[in-house]
Amino acid sequence: MRKGTFLELCELLSPALKRQDTQMRAALTIQKRVAIALWKLAMPDSYRSVANQFGVGKSTVGVAVMQLANAIVDLLLSKVVTLGNVQVIIDGFTAMGFPNCGGAIDGTHIPILGPDHQGSQYINRKGYFSMVLQALVDHKGHFTNISIEWPGKVHDARVFKNSGLFRWLQEGIYFPDYKITVGDVEMPIVILGDRAYPLMPWLMKPYTGAPDTEKELFNYRLSKCRMVVECAFGRLKGRWRSLLTRSDLSQTNIPIVIAACCVLHNLCESKGETFMAGWEVEANRLAADYAQPDTRAIRRAQRDTLHIREALKASFQSEQGNL
């Protein structure tokens, strides 16, 4: 990040990071502690390597990372990872080809070292230990809701159904009550998911099986808009490459650090910070060691949901015919 963004971040976090000098030694400045922590989060380097880079002890690096992560979660998470202007998001997805859409959802696995307790619960379908980050993003790939509670063995649909986001969507309190008419069907604000998610009146997912031309067009439109969440995960891990190597933090601290990285992602994206091509290359190299598990399709659906998806499918086809 640029110096201005870095200094602004230090200022925002200063209430939580202020340290008093002791008679024994002077406290590290806020700027130095933030720089140490950001470097560790951005690089897959060892604690020893980062300690040598900054001329501090190895334990100081670990302390700096958790001080920064806790400060970010306490002071910035609820302000930065938030829904924002829903109409702007809807307009953004409409321009991309999907009407009345408030976000795209997906999960990604963050590799960790095997925990001491209930280790088997953390082994995902690719055979490595992980925690699941579930995220909803807007049309620009900014995180608007995150959940980091579940071990890697748990299916995306179960993570979703046990999240606060699911409850709020089910109760109709997450988005404004804004409906559009598609054909002769009323459609609320929806989110977009892949085949692992349940089809709901407020969650659209692709058709499975051998699709016809109309279904293919629907799937294409949905996939094109849903790509924003996959890109967001790519940029999150490209900037904060420590998420691509097995974290040696405790089960309590891992979710805090992942959440802090999501906040930092939003800050960098909203400030227009440069995302360098080399980061993606490095991220892809690191990610190759920990491939993402395949998603298993869920086919259950409510009847009224099917009506909404069928109406959208017909609408997309008629638009295509009018071009």
Side-chain angles (χ1 to χ4, degrees), residues 149-162:
E149 302 172 40
W150 291 86
K153 187 177 181 179
V154 181
H155 187 273
D156 281 354
R158 187 173 160 212
V159 172
F160 179 49
K161 285 191 168 180
N162 284 279

Side-chain angles (χ1 to χ4, degrees), residues 3 52 112 206 216 219:
K3 187 176 181 181
N52 292 341
I112 62 171
E216 276 184 357
N219 285 359

